[in-house]
Amino acid sequence: MKKWIILLVVLLLGMIALFSLQKDEQDLGDNYYYLPLYEAIDVGLPDGAIVYKSTQKYSFDEVKIKGDVVSIDCNEKFIIVIRKPKEVKYEEIYTKSSLGTDSLEYFIVVKKSDLVKGPFSKQKYLGKRKELGVSKDLKLDFEE
């Protein structure tokens, strides 16, 4: 019986540690942040998930990308983002077979110059990505 109680306590502590490591707001570095949809709704932002720049958490004066962000990645130089246009249904995003590459908008944020490039079609995004020298290590969902 003691073994089961110890095992249960260890599992519960592991789950608590796992959930405490999750962030509601993702720090993208250099004062850039990603606020996911559920958190944006909680703070009263009607346009959905956002990527913003601020010296203070939850200060949304410099929203760089707003809308339904479905994938994001970053490194020390760039932030890459896929956003779902308003006219695409939410369910279509998670069904690759029904999701055409023309259905999504792609962005590149150049951190050093604080420039947002996009929205791009997938083809133009890939060309701009190569032109800017975005690392191949940065990957987005729905990129092949």
Side-chain angles (χ1 to χ4, degrees):
M1 182 69 172
K2 283 184 180 181
K3 289 180 182 180
W4 286 108
I5 292 173
I6 291 172
L7 180 62
L8 182 60
V9 169
V10 169
L11 286 173
L12 286 173
L13 289 175
M15 289 175 58
I16 290 169
L18 177 66
F19 288 117
S20 67
L21 290 176
Q22 292 180 346
K23 296 183 193 176
D24 288 336
E25 183 173 21
Q26 184 177 354
D27 185 348
L28 303 173
D30 296 323
N31 294 323
Y32 286 94
Y33 298 93
Y34 167 60
L35 190 72
L37 177 61
Y38 67 91
E39 189 70 14
I41 291 169
D42 284 349
V43 298
L45 295 175
D47 292 328
I50 62 170
V51 175
Y52 68 99
K53 186 172 183 180
S54 177
T55 57
Q56 188 175 15
K57 191 175 183 177
Y58 293 113
S59 176
F60 310 116
D61 294 334
E62 258 191 274
V63 175
K64 300 297 183 180
I65 300 169
K66 64 181 176 179
D68 290 331
V69 173
V70 295
S71 185
I72 189 165
D73 199 3
C74 68
N75 64 14
E76 65 281 348
K77 295 180 182 180
F78 300 101
I79 301 167
I80 56 174
V81 176
I82 296 177
R83 179 178 73 185
K84 173 182 68 89
K86 295 254 186 229
E87 63 272 3
V88 177
K89 293 179 183 172
Y90 187 78
E91 297 82 23
E92 291 176 356
I93 289 301
Y94 298 101
T95 310
K96 284 189 178 185
S97 61
S98 67
L99 183 63
T101 56
D102 294 337
S103 300
L104 299 173
E105 298 173 329
Y106 296 78
F107 295 85
I108 301 171
V109 178
V110 184
K111 289 181 176 181
K112 186 175 183 177
S113 59
D114 194 32
L115 292 174
V116 177
K117 307 281 188 175
F120 298 116
S121 65
K122 184 172 184 176
Q123 180 115 7
K124 289 187 178 191
Y125 159 76
L126 293 172
K128 183 59 81 170
R129 186 180 166 123
K130 186 179 272 191
E131 177 186 319
L132 293 170
V134 176
S135 171
K136 291 181 181 181
D137 292 338
L138 290 181
K139 297 196 185 301
L140 295 167
D141 294 341
F142 313 111
E143 277 189 309
E144 296 176 6

